[in-house]
């Protein structure tokens, strides 16, 4: 990793102990920079969640996906463990942005298509997210081995390509009926999610 600058400070939290926030300060980053919520004193083999922004679930309360519940689960597990890191990336709509995500929703609702089919119909990549900054933040904390809360093998590959040893911890949460098709589509596109059609 090239030398990076960070801005770090503490935050208080309702109903729990506080944590530190580390924001990546890199002039090459466009938009909001990546941020790490650091609980306790992370060391190798601690729990880590890399999470991309989802305005619909996190702010508007949508239950069409599992994003909100996944990050809440990560906070609970890391708090219970006493240490760990949540990295939050401003990569809405699998990296395509909020407007593309909204257009994908419109297409999906008009054509009863999953989000992957909708993105392709709109000439958008399935997933254009990048996790290099997440690796930067983990390296800045001196972490060489992590237990990654994820169902996405691309996150694992991104960290492993930087020499970080990854042990996957599944990130499975109960989902609404409206989210089942979304998760099934993700499973069919390589995410490590059990089939939801059998339950």
């Amino acid at each position: 990793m090239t030398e990076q600058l960070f801005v770090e400070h503490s935050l208080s939290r309702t109903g729990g102990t506080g944590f530190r926030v580390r924001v990546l300060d890199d002039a090459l980053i466009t938009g909001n920079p990546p941020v790490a919520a650091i609980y306790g004193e992370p060391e190798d083999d601690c729990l880590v969640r890399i999470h991309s922004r989802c305005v619909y679930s996190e702010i508007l309360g949508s239950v069409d996906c599992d994003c909100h519940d996944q990050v809440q689960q990560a906070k609970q597990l890391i708090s219970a463990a006493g240490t760990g890191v949540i990295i939050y990336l401003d990569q809405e709509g699998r990296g395509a942005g909020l407007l593309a995500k909204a257009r994908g929703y419109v297409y999906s609702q008009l054509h009863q298509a999953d989000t992957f089919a909708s993105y392709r119909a709109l000439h958008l990549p399935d997933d254009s997210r990048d996790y290099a900054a997440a690796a930067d933040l983990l390296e800045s904390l001196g972490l060489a081995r992590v237990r990654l809360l994820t169902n996405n093998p691309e996150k694992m590959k991104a960290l492993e390509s930087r020499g970080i040893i990854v042990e996957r911890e599944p990130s499975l949460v109960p989902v609404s009926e409206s989210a089942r098709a979304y998760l099934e589509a993700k499973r069919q596109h390589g995410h490590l999610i059990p089939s939801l059609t059998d339950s």
Side-chain angles (χ1 to χ4, degrees):
M1 180 186 72
T2 57
E3 184 178 355
Q4 301 281 353
L5 297 177
F6 304 93
V7 178
E8 185 171 306
H9 60 88
S10 61
L11 277 182
S12 301
R13 183 164 60 103
T14 301
T17 58
F19 58 95
R20 291 179 287 140
V21 171
R22 179 174 291 193
V23 180
L24 185 61
D25 183 0
D26 188 332
L28 298 178
I29 293 174
T30 58
N32 290 323
V35 56
I38 306 163
Y39 297 79
E41 296 299 330
E43 56 186 23
D44 281 344
D45 300 314
C46 69
L47 286 171
V48 170
R49 167 75 185 168
I50 299 173
H51 190 85
S52 296
R53 186 182 77 163
C54 178
V55 167
Y56 287 178
S57 69
E58 295 163 3
I59 305 300
L60 304 180
S62 170
V63 293
D64 291 332
C65 65
D66 58 347
C67 301
H68 172 270
D69 290 339
Q70 281 189 320
V71 76
Q72 293 302 317
Q73 178 196 64
K75 287 194 289 187
Q76 292 167 3
L77 291 172
I78 288 172
S79 293
T83 186
V85 183
I86 296 175
I87 295 175
Y88 195 82
L89 305 174
D90 189 12
Q91 298 190 133
E92 186 78 47
R94 296 200 297 269
L98 184 56
L99 183 58
K101 178 177 179 174
R103 287 173 173 157
Y105 258 81
V106 170
Y107 188 94
S108 292
Q109 291 170 359
L110 287 175
H111 301 280
Q112 291 73 53
D114 67 51
T115 57
F116 293 92
S118 296
Y119 272 34
R120 290 173 181 174
L122 296 171
H123 307 290
L124 297 168
D126 286 350
D127 194 334
S128 56
R129 289 175 293 179
D130 184 279
Y131 304 107
D136 288 341
L137 285 164
L138 293 174
E139 288 175 355
S140 78
L141 293 166
L143 297 176
R145 299 190 312 272
V146 298
R147 293 161 53 216
L148 188 64
L149 287 159
T150 190
N151 305 319
N152 186 349
E154 294 304 315
K155 294 179 182 179
M156 300 167 61
K157 292 176 186 176
L159 298 188
E160 289 169 344
S161 72
R162 294 282 291 270
I164 299 173
I165 298 170
V166 177
E167 177 184 347
R168 185 177 83 91
E169 296 281 347
S171 180
L172 302 174
V173 296
V175 297
S176 69
E177 198 61 35
S178 63
R180 291 170 69 89
Y182 169 71
L183 265 67
E184 182 62 22
K186 288 173 70 174
R187 186 185 73 80
Q188 293 177 7
H189 285 81
H191 285 233
L192 304 174
I193 301 171
S195 175
L196 298 176
T197 58
D198 300 330
S199 58

